[in-house]
Amino acid sequence: MFSKVRNLITVKNGVSRISSSQLSTSFSNTTKEPGRVVFISQASDVYSNLALEDWLYRNWDFSKRHVLFLWRNSPCVVIGRHQNPFCEANIPYLESAGVPIVRRNSGGGTVYHDDGNLNCTFFTSKQSYNRRHNLSVICDALRKDFNILADINEKDDIVVNSSLKISGTAAKLGGNSAYHHCTLLVASDKMQLKLALKGDRTLKSNATKSVPSSTANLQDFAPDMTVEKLLESVGRNFLNYKTTEEDDHESKTDVRSDGFTLINPTEDWFPGLDEIKENLKSWNWFVGMTPLFKQKRPVTIDQSFSEGSAILVSIEVFHGIIKGVTVESSVSQALKEYIEKQIGNTIVGSRYAPEIFLDIESRLIEREPKPQYYSAH
Amino acid sequence: MKILPDTSFFLSLLTFGVEEYFVISPSFTRLAADVEIQFCPPDKLKPKPAVKDLVFGKTFTEHMLEIQWVDGEGWHKPQISPFHNLSMHPAAKSLHYSVQFEGMKAYRGVDGKIRLFRPDENMKRMNRTAERASLPTFDGEELIELIKKLIRIDQEWVPHSESSSLYVRPTLISNEDALKVEQPSKALLFVILSPTGPYFSTGFNAVSLLADPQYVRSWPGGCGHTKMGANYGPTLMIQKEAMKKGLQQVLWLYGPDHRLTEVGAMNIMIVLKKKNGGIELVTPPLDGLILPGVTRLSILEIVRSWPEYEVTERDITMAEVVEASKEDRLLEIFGAGTAVVVCPVGEIHYMDKVIKVPTMQQEKPLYKKVYNAILDIQYGRNQHPWAVPID
């Protein structure tokens, strides 16, 4: 009998209090609110981090514990699920600079990442999904620890001084689980960002287009801020966040919190991760998911041609495969057919690459027999 | 005014409302609910190595649990804090006279959940050992709740591959700074965790044993039935002797009749074909010389539920083993413990004899059956109350 009673006792400020409604397992969260934990990635490559995000989303149930995953990438570009990478980024520049460009699983626009920005992914059950709440946790952290007053606009961007965007948001909802991720610009290299995100304007596409906005770095408003400090601040606020109805005077650690932990996103810690990474790197995913687009460019032709020195040719690409070639300028029927059918047949069905127009040009130059075309007019 | 029957409750009881009673009471076990947690800050977290580099007993997680006890005050508030060295006065009693510890594991199941294996048994044993060591006892259920919280905080140290585990080491020492050999007035209970990667069973390998009756691990009236550090330190020298002879473990014998007691740091199990034909699983009884292993207990309970075996806890001597071997009735000998679950024995070097034990030659060996049965429970393939989820 004594042990049963003893089990009902808690001690607070030297005074013992018994509540018969509480059982001895009261330490485990009787609030029935989900627990909270912050994961910090040890990796800085975008493939490992995005793959881990997907792995957690596919394999875990977040109804009992919400996870905030914090990660940073070495310079890279991340496009939204339904975007056209060629429209959104300067692919040749990125290739020459060795900067990876990746298509993520969630929708939305294109972002440039480097180690001056912090990525936050909030994992919850589908029912508990709440973007505004997550963004409030961040705004609270900015206010309490850095004296920055930030607002959330109607697009769920976090803005400072009403117009300068310091964060962009995207999300994915599934059957049981959901995640909301956002970037936080602390000290990002704005010049690299501009160079990287200069897309190809000769492309016309129905894919989701990024909406450009004026951005700022948080360091502009708080010079002492570093990504590490912001990481700790956002993490702590997430762990201890109390809704307005709750007692905010409790300085004791929230019982729901499991603190911070480092995550090593590799296959041995998370079996199945490598497969997800391989898929992210694959052509089928990165280019193959691109919606229908048309690209129109001038193609230089032989000087001896009476048509002029360049004609406009457009190609149609669907899921990264060239579907058709069309001559847009008015030219002779013979030339039109030559380009659309002869050359077209050799390139239709092959994979799109930005150099495809050079390919068309070189095939025009190599064409045989030349005399036929000279006598077109 | 309601007065509770236990007299260690003091003085005034005030009734507030229907369900609450206030009591002022300075010394009794604190509840897990009162634990103070200090999380390791992000910049002090330890990067996780590749799974193959997790070294059992050398890689530890980032947090630990500590509860201080003071005579007259009882147990203080439990603290979970970042893993740190203990600061000890050179005269701290445990440095001189004794330490007690426990060993159990939490397993990452096939469903991703982490489960503790029969923690209540370890708590009971820890309290029995504490009494024998003149260290304070505690509420086992509360300690299990605290250990669950500690594991929840550090659970990402257990890889998500199947068959990874976390070794849990509760320890109880006296940190009272007084040399006198007397009842300690201060004690510290702490728990640390060590992760292990997947235990790839590349098949079992039988071990060879040195059985030399001049070495005695435990004796009647002693403390061999408790998990005290004092029982382990002295075995290292004999282990070295065995290895010098090219043997792998020590078979601990006791008494003029050379009773088998334990093997290495494990309990011992012997499988015999009885003279009348049945199969008997024999293990020494808990008569004070034997550590009451949780694996030992689990094996006995499981095999008792299999009608084709007879299970007996009784003394068994080397003479009986030698005779059974001569008559081809010695089927298997294996060790049983938390670290490996079972450890098959291939031969025993006893006096001038080498006794071959056909453990690995059996068609349907019992050690394998119990190994599979226990692992199925630990890893959640078989949902069983012995495996307690941490949340």
Side-chain angles (χ1 to χ4, degrees):
Chain A
M1 158 82 209
F2 171 57
S3 64
K4 253 217 163 83
V5 169
R6 205 175 48 174
N7 285 345
L8 299 173
I9 301 167
T10 61
V11 174
K12 209 169 179 161
N13 305 322
V15 176
S16 321
R17 180 184 294 193
I18 312 174
S19 169
S20 60
S21 59
Q22 279 190 310
L23 302 175
S24 75
T25 53
S26 64
F27 182 68
S28 38
N29 204 346
T30 46
T31 60
K32 293 207 180 8
E33 283 280 308
R36 299 150 185 193
V37 66
V38 177
F39 285 179
I40 302 170
S41 178
Q42 283 172 215
S44 59
D45 82 287
V46 61
Y47 295 106
S48 296
N49 286 324
L50 280 177
L52 182 72
E53 205 185 42
D54 197 37
W55 191 100
L56 291 171
Y57 168 73
R58 288 200 218 171
N59 289 296
W60 280 16
D61 171 351
F62 298 96
S63 49
K64 291 220 188 115
R65 200 164 76 140
H66 291 174
V67 174
L68 170 59
F69 175 43
L70 298 173
W71 38 296
R72 296 161 77 174
N73 291 326
S74 317
C76 63
V77 172
V78 181
I79 66 169
R81 170 79 173 76
H82 309 289
Q83 292 199 296
N84 181 325
F86 308 100
C87 285
E88 298 296 332
N90 189 341
I91 307 273
Y93 171 71
L94 293 173
E95 260 177 33
S96 68
V99 173
I101 169 166
V102 191
R103 179 189 300 272
R104 60 176 186 267
N105 272 288
S106 58
T110 297
V111 281
Y112 171 76
H113 288 174
D114 62 15
D115 57 19
N117 91 292
L118 177 66
N119 298 305
C120 311
T121 309
F122 295 83
F123 288 94
T124 60
S125 65
K126 190 165 166 193
Q127 291 140 298
S128 300
Y129 172 73
N130 187 338
R131 285 202 304 273
R132 289 241 138 194
H133 168 91
N134 302 334
L135 297 169
S136 317
V137 167
I138 296 174
C139 288
D140 235 42
L142 290 174
R143 178 180 53 87
K144 282 191 203 154
D145 294 327
F146 303 98
N147 257 315
I148 294 177
L149 293 173
D151 298 303
I152 307 165
N153 72 8
E154 67 286 349
K155 284 189 284 156
D156 284 342
D157 296 329
I158 301 182
V159 291
V160 177
N161 293 350
S162 46
S163 61
L164 292 168
K165 185 172 136 158
I166 55 100
S167 161
T169 259
K172 188 159 172 75
L173 282 93
N176 288 316
S177 305
Y179 65 81
H180 158 220
H181 54 199
C182 59
T183 56
L184 287 171
L185 297 169
V186 177
S188 199
D189 189 333
K190 289 177 101 168
M191 185 170 87
Q192 285 303 322
L193 188 153
K194 245 181 146 174
L195 288 170
L197 299 187
K198 222 178 191 163
D200 189 337
R201 304 273 169 99
T202 64
L203 287 172
K204 240 180 157 185
S205 152
N206 287 334
T208 313
K209 287 209 181 32
S210 300
V211 178
S213 5
S214 19
T215 57
N217 278 318
L218 282 165
Q219 231 179 41
D220 298 340
F221 308 107
D224 287 340
M225 190 194 280
T226 59
V227 179
E228 290 83 5
K229 287 186 187 165
L230 182 62
L231 185 154
E232 176 163 1
S233 162
V234 171
R236 230 182 327 104
N237 263 277
F238 169 78
L239 292 172
N240 299 326
Y241 196 76
K242 294 182 175 28
T243 60
T244 44
E245 309 92 61
E246 292 168 309
D247 179 8
D248 207 11
H249 303 299
E250 275 282 351
S251 56
K252 197 171 105 160
T253 307
D254 198 307
V255 289
R256 295 165 281 197
S257 166
D258 276 348
F260 295 85
T261 191
L262 286 176
I263 295 292
N264 189 350
T266 50
E267 176 74 17
D268 54 350
W269 284 91
F270 298 91
L273 198 78
D274 276 352
E275 204 185 309
I276 302 176
K277 267 170 91 167
E278 286 316 304
N279 185 55
L280 279 174
K281 289 181 179 174
S282 72
W283 185 93
N284 279 337
W285 171 256
F286 175 61
V287 183
M289 288 284 139
T290 309
L292 180 72
F293 69 90
K294 276 193 168 141
Q295 185 167 26
K296 190 164 38 180
R297 281 245 188 105
V299 167
T300 319
I301 55 171
D302 206 285
Q303 289 298 332
S304 52
F305 230 126
S306 49
E307 332 268 355
S309 59
I311 54 172
L312 278 176
V313 176
S314 84
I315 59 171
E316 197 178 65
V317 184
F318 181 61
H319 283 177
I321 304 286
I322 299 172
K323 291 294 186 216
V325 181
T326 317
V327 175
E328 302 284 348
S329 311
S330 68
V331 298
S332 67
Q333 187 59 26
L335 183 58
K336 188 176 162 73
E337 265 197 34
Y338 183 78
I339 292 174
E340 288 180 4
K341 300 254 162 56
Q342 291 263 58
I343 295 181
N345 285 340
T346 57
I347 65 173
V348 161
S350 65
R351 290 181 172 182
Y352 170 80
E355 303 79 36
I356 195 66
F357 284 92
L358 291 172
D359 203 23
I360 296 174
E361 247 176 29
S362 64
R363 283 176 205 270
L364 266 174
I365 293 166
E366 287 163 15
R367 72 194 184 284
E368 290 291 345
K370 287 190 174 102
Q372 220 185 82
Y373 297 94
Y374 285 130
S375 56
H377 281 305
Chain B
M1 190 156 87
K2 297 201 177 179
I3 298 172
L4 295 164
D6 194 299
T7 52
S8 73
F9 273 65
F10 279 71
L11 317 170
S12 34
L13 278 168
L14 306 164
T15 308
F16 279 70
V18 177
E19 286 180 353
E20 287 203 1
Y21 302 78
F22 277 79
V23 168
I24 299 163
S25 178
S27 80
F28 55 86
T29 310
R30 306 288 198 195
L31 262 197
D34 228 29
V35 64
E36 279 179 356
I37 304 179
Q38 212 197 336
F39 288 113
C40 186
D43 53 344
K44 300 259 168 20
L45 292 170
K46 292 186 290 192
K48 294 176 168 59
V51 169
K52 60 175 172 59
D53 296 332
L54 289 172
V55 185
F56 165 70
K58 277 200 164 149
T59 314
F60 292 97
T61 64
E62 275 131 353
H63 297 89
M64 60 193 280
L65 168 70
E66 278 169 282
I67 322 174
Q68 180 70 45
W69 179 88
V70 176
D71 193 17
E73 293 168 25
W75 293 100
H76 289 185
K77 273 193 194 176
Q79 316 259 356
I80 291 178
S81 59
F83 199 92
H84 59 270
N85 286 343
L86 298 174
S87 177
M88 306 267 274
H89 191 280
K93 264 204 178 43
S94 273
L95 287 178
H96 300 267
Y97 306 122
S98 195
V99 135
Q100 65 162 101
F101 65 95
E102 263 303 324
M104 56 184 180
K105 276 185 175 178
Y107 303 85
R108 169 88 68 190
V110 293
D111 55 357
K113 284 204 188 140
I114 300 182
R115 297 174 175 82
L116 278 166
F117 186 69
R118 308 190 81 173
D120 51 321
E121 291 297 327
N122 294 84
M123 296 297 106
K124 283 190 231 158
R125 186 169 71 187
M126 195 167 172
N127 269 323
R128 286 196 301 263
T129 304
E131 269 176 4
R132 185 69 176 83
S134 296
L135 286 167
T137 55
F138 55 88
D139 186 329
E141 270 175 36
E142 291 308 308
L143 186 58
I144 292 176
E145 284 311 304
L146 286 164
I147 289 175
K148 280 185 191 173
K149 178 64 178 176
L150 182 64
I151 296 176
R152 277 203 297 277
I153 292 170
D154 280 343
Q155 64 181 283
E156 288 311 312
W157 276 96
V158 188
H160 289 275
S161 46
E162 275 182 30
S163 70
S164 299
S165 60
L166 195 65
Y167 183 74
V168 182
R169 168 59 59 97
T171 314
L172 185 52
I173 62 169
S174 169
N175 54 355
E176 176 195 359
D177 46 4
L179 284 179
K180 228 173 154 193
V181 182
E182 63 179 5
Q183 182 89 22
S185 65
K186 274 172 79 179
L188 179 69
L189 198 167
F190 63 90
V191 181
I192 53 180
L193 309 171
S194 182
T196 61
Y199 191 82
F200 292 118
S201 190
T202 50
F204 288 97
N205 287 317
V207 298
S208 53
L209 308 182
L210 171 66
D212 190 336
Q214 70 171 298
Y215 301 119
V216 178
R217 187 200 83 96
S218 64
W219 47 91
C223 56
H225 62 293
T226 64
K227 209 156 171 78
M228 284 202 218
N231 293 329
Y232 294 83
T235 66
L236 299 175
M237 192 191 86
I238 297 78
Q239 174 67 23
K240 237 188 342 186
E241 286 303 311
M243 282 159 61
K244 272 197 210 153
K245 299 192 157 93
L247 305 170
Q248 290 153 310
Q249 295 276 350
V250 177
L251 173 55
W252 300 102
L253 303 174
Y254 179 78
D257 51 354
H258 300 176
R259 274 184 262 163
L260 282 72
T261 61
E262 294 194 7
V263 52
M266 297 177 280
N267 293 114
I268 192 161
M269 302 265 160
I270 303 104
V271 184
L272 301 169
K273 198 188 309 177
K274 292 176 69 175
K275 296 197 181 178
N276 65 15
I279 301 186
E280 186 191 12
L281 175 67
V282 180
T283 197
L286 300 177
D287 59 357
L289 272 68
I290 308 294
L291 185 77
V294 181
T295 311
R296 171 189 179 279
L297 177 67
S298 307
I299 291 176
L300 294 177
E301 288 174 347
I302 289 171
V303 181
R304 281 194 173 113
S305 72
W306 293 339
E308 59 270 39
Y309 301 96
E310 197 185 307
V311 178
T312 341
E313 290 175 70
R314 63 171 175 81
D315 286 331
I316 177 164
T317 64
M318 282 309 294
E320 189 184 337
V321 169
V322 170
E323 186 196 51
S325 172
K326 288 212 180 94
E327 295 171 11
D328 285 328
R329 290 184 300 104
L330 177 63
L331 301 178
E332 303 170 50
I333 293 185
F334 57 94
T338 293
V340 291
V341 185
V342 293
C343 179
V345 172
E347 62 187 49
I348 305 175
H349 290 231
Y350 168 61
M351 311 289 247
D352 50 358
K353 305 191 213 349
V354 175
I355 304 158
K356 295 278 189 196
V357 189
T359 314
M360 304 294 281
Q361 285 79 46
Q362 301 303 318
E363 247 190 72
K364 294 202 184 131
L366 182 57
Y367 79 86
K368 253 202 195 147
K369 281 170 100 172
V370 297
Y371 175 78
N372 289 330
I374 290 179
L375 254 68
D376 282 348
I377 295 172
Q378 289 170 339
Y379 288 102
R381 283 184 284 266
N382 172 6
Q383 300 277 351
H384 193 288
W386 282 353
V388 178
I390 59 165
D391 53 24

